[in-house]
Amino acid sequence: MLATRLTTFISTRTVQKTTLRCIGSRVSYSTGSEFTVTDTEINIDGKTYKKDKWTNVSPTTLSRVNRKLHLHPQHPISIIRQLIESHFHDFKTFHEISPIVTTKQNFDDLLIAKDHVTRNRSDNYYLNETTMLRAHTSAHQLQGMRSGANKFLISGDVFRRDEIDASHYPVFHQMEGLVYFDRDQIKTAEQVNKDIQMGRLKEAENVKVVDDTIIKPENPMQESHTQETVEPIAAHLKYSINSMVRKLFADEPDLEVRWIDAYFPFTSPSWEVEIKYKGEWLEVLGCGVVRQELMDQAGLHDKIGHAFGLGLERLAMVLFGIPDIRLFWSQDERFIQQFTPGQIQKFQPFSKFPPCIKDISFWLPNKSWEENDFCELVRDVAGDIVENVELVN
């Protein structure tokens, strides 16, 4: 049926022939949500959104909007969230902010340029030109800063159109953290040192952290900041992240962690943290010193802060030993009954069926071919039983 639909849908526009390989596995998945879609509008959570030329969100994706895996106490995503929150115990937490946001929240408020590639329709889910499913929890950073809390965590599901394989899924979960202090050449260091000493933890000897990053022209300090304020903030950021990693992975043997330079429009300097997993480096978070323009937008002109964003699935896959990101969405009791709130327990595989490989050939259209669009079609037709889509010719 899938091959027939693909051939029928695309064969009338011929330019280039291609073959993709779809691999399926027999695992039970299902989803459920309250929404309706007509030719002209989308209704979800009691609100109606007019469709336009930007609309590209599929019913398959909408069906996952209200699953909220991060709030199910027994689910690995929720267990990770709770463990991180227990580490940052003096942070205010936000769990239930709607994933439906404006493009202003998702992009403009974070200083992302109008022509930036991250705004592409092929990478995001748009309800219409001005409304979308959030692509990151950073969409609520300004909201958090205006809450009055100088330390907060925001967790929730985020949505991005992506390829089909064991480590990518159109819906995943992030946790956003932000901390700020007085922007003063003396007070900043004093407040940071006091906060670090209050939370000082014994370091796990099995976790090796490599960090040779420094503030430099390629990863610069902001013009409005001084060395006396940025260095303590960077030290607090790195202590916060390293202590969290050491706590989460205290029982993992010989874990390697490294810091590398990065770029984000909303922080500078910026870094990424990677964990070595199955012989490969896996990015688990991005972080940096918050752009002062964002602090100013929130009315925090005399403050300086740092922010970090964690991918909860990436952490859970390593800690629980879960090999496929789609398993997080399984409603098979053999999956969820393996886990206990507050505990890290290694996943035990329960499917004994081998994969089934099918090659599909079809003609590509003249214009606007995007592999993510094809993957979205596969998800709509076959759901999560398709394990991998690979371009082979």
Side-chain angles (χ1 to χ4, degrees):
M1 180 178 178
L2 179 59
T4 302
R5 290 190 64 183
L6 288 173
T7 303
T8 303
F9 180 67
I10 303 179
S11 63
T12 57
R13 292 171 282 181
T14 64
V15 174
Q16 174 187 355
K17 191 176 181 181
T18 189
T19 303
L20 290 100
R21 176 165 293 159
C22 298
I23 305 175
S25 60
R26 301 184 191 178
V27 183
S28 174
Y29 296 87
S30 66
T31 57
S33 183
E34 294 293 330
F35 67 93
T36 57
V37 180
T38 70
D39 290 340
T40 59
E41 62 187 28
I42 297 170
N43 185 285
I44 186 166
D45 292 340
K47 295 183 179 180
T48 300
Y49 303 90
K50 295 293 184 182
K51 297 170 72 173
D52 59 24
K53 64 181 181 180
W54 279 80
T55 305
N56 66 353
V57 63
S58 66
T60 302
T61 302
L62 288 173
S63 71
R64 291 163 171 78
V65 167
N66 290 323
R67 287 285 301 275
K68 299 180 180 179
L69 303 183
H70 64 293
L71 298 181
H72 297 194
Q74 197 173 350
H75 198 283
I77 298 298
S78 181
I79 294 171
I80 290 289
R81 173 187 64 79
Q82 294 173 69
L83 289 173
I84 295 172
E85 289 177 354
S86 70
H87 178 70
F88 297 112
H89 58 87
D90 57 345
F91 283 50
K92 184 175 182 179
T93 57
F94 300 88
H95 300 143
E96 300 192 56
I97 303 176
S98 171
I100 301 174
V101 299
T102 64
T103 52
K104 179 179 182 297
Q105 288 175 286
N106 200 79
F107 300 119
D108 300 337
D109 287 350
L110 296 169
L111 310 178
I112 297 174
K114 294 289 186 183
D115 59 351
H116 198 278
V117 65
T118 56
R119 293 179 181 252
N120 286 352
R121 287 181 73 251
S122 60
D123 295 326
N124 298 286
Y125 289 105
Y126 286 90
L127 277 69
N128 54 44
E129 186 174 6
T130 60
T131 313
M132 62 187 297
L133 298 179
R134 64 185 168 214
H136 42 210
T137 48
S138 301
H140 308 291
Q141 191 177 94
L142 190 58
Q143 183 178 345
M145 287 192 287
R146 287 173 173 167
S147 71
N150 71 317
K151 299 178 179 180
F152 61 84
L153 297 170
I154 300 172
S155 57
D157 41 6
V158 299
F159 301 76
R160 296 181 194 172
R161 294 164 69 94
D162 216 331
E163 57 201 87
I164 296 177
D165 60 32
S167 62
H168 293 87
Y169 201 73
V171 193
F172 55 102
H173 296 78
Q174 286 186 342
M175 178 177 282
E176 180 89 4
L178 190 143
V179 181
Y180 63 79
F181 298 93
D182 289 333
R183 183 157 61 113
D184 180 272
Q185 294 192 20
I186 297 175
K187 288 183 179 180
T188 303
E190 290 178 347
Q191 293 172 0
V192 164
N193 289 335
K194 181 180 178 181
D195 200 68
I196 289 177
Q197 291 303 320
M198 289 177 61
R200 181 69 65 182
L201 297 174
K202 181 181 178 181
E203 294 188 353
E205 295 180 357
N206 61 301
V207 180
K208 178 185 177 183
V209 177
V210 176
D211 178 13
D212 56 6
T213 60
I214 58 173
I215 298 172
K216 54 190 176 182
E218 295 80 11
N219 196 12
M221 177 176 68
Q222 299 168 47
E223 290 185 4
S224 59
H225 290 166
T226 65
Q227 186 174 347
E228 289 79 8
T229 56
V230 171
E231 287 186 350
I233 288 294
H236 189 276
L237 167 61
K238 292 185 175 185
Y239 169 75
S240 300
I241 299 302
N242 287 336
S243 62
M244 179 202 67
V245 170
R246 287 187 165 109
K247 180 178 180 179
L248 288 177
F249 292 91
D251 296 326
E252 286 289 320
D254 303 320
L255 186 78
E256 293 183 59
V257 180
R258 71 178 180 185
W259 287 71
I260 60 174
D261 291 322
Y263 167 78
F264 304 109
F266 32 86
T267 56
S268 185
S270 305
W271 300 280
E272 289 178 347
V273 177
E274 299 181 333
I275 290 175
K276 201 166 192 179
Y277 178 60
K278 293 185 177 179
E280 297 185 0
W281 289 103
L282 185 70
E283 178 197 340
V284 293
L285 68 89
C287 58
V289 178
V290 179
R291 298 287 306 187
Q292 196 60 41
E293 298 97 311
L294 298 180
M295 304 295 293
D296 294 345
Q297 281 185 48
L300 303 172
H301 306 278
D302 59 344
K303 307 296 181 183
I304 183 170
H306 66 71
F308 55 88
L310 299 156
L312 297 182
E313 273 84 353
R314 291 279 178 92
L315 290 172
M317 290 176 78
V318 176
L319 284 167
F320 290 92
I322 296 173
D324 193 311
I325 196 170
R326 284 157 295 205
L327 283 167
F328 291 116
W329 293 88
S330 174
Q331 292 180 311
D332 191 315
E333 290 187 359
R334 293 175 297 175
F335 175 76
I336 202 67
Q337 292 301 324
Q338 294 187 32
F339 308 107
T340 304
Q343 297 181 22
I344 302 294
Q345 297 160 292
K346 292 298 183 182
F347 169 70
Q348 300 298 318
F350 52 80
S351 177
K352 58 181 180 292
F353 295 103
C356 177
I357 298 175
K358 301 291 184 183
D359 285 349
I360 303 170
S361 297
F362 56 93
W363 295 101
L364 290 180
N366 281 314
K367 299 178 181 179
S368 68
W369 160 257
E370 291 285 351
E371 189 169 346
N372 284 350
D373 293 341
F374 177 78
C375 289
E376 196 67 17
L377 175 64
V378 172
R379 285 194 181 98
D380 282 344
V381 175
D384 288 338
I385 63 170
V386 176
E387 182 177 301
N388 190 55
V389 174
E390 176 186 358
L391 181 65
V392 295
N393 184 15

